[in-house]
Amino acid sequence: MATADERGNGIHIGSVRGAFAIGNNNTVTHHEGGAAPAMDPAQEELLRAVRALRDDLSRAVESPQITALSGELGETEAEIADHGAAGPGRLSRLRTALADAGAVVGLLASGTAVTQAVATLAGG
């Protein structure tokens, strides 16, 4: 917000987010972060399933396998959010973590959904 000083002169700008120009004949061009990457439906399904499984695992009894799987799920979620897709290496690591935590994952519908989504994206 712009206000006059105590003498009624000048401008005080409290805070600015984005771009602005003061004076005559100025041009302002502002580009803020790119649009979210486009996601294919299979990656969107994986992202939904990953989020559901992470939520379910937050209520599970901690074990080294659950901790490792939770970490892989977090990394997968971040990769999809940042790049629009989980790459082959990430899918492979997630598949391994799912297998290692198989006893718990097999009991959860969200675990089955992630396992199926990974199988679809990784080709089997």
Side-chain angles (χ1 to χ4, degrees), residues 31-35:
H31 300 281
E32 188 169 323

Side-chain angles (χ1 to χ4, degrees), residues 17-62:
R17 180 170 185 198
F20 68 96
I22 298 175
N24 296 329
N25 304 317
N26 289 313
T27 301
V28 174
T29 303
H30 177 71
H31 300 281
E32 188 169 323
M39 239 184 280
D40 76 36
Q43 292 286 342
E44 287 179 8
E45 180 57 35
L46 176 59
L47 182 59
R48 278 191 296 276
V50 161
R51 288 176 174 160
L53 182 54
R54 285 185 77 196
D55 186 50
D56 288 345
L57 288 179
S58 70
R59 294 181 293 279
V61 175
E62 278 296 312

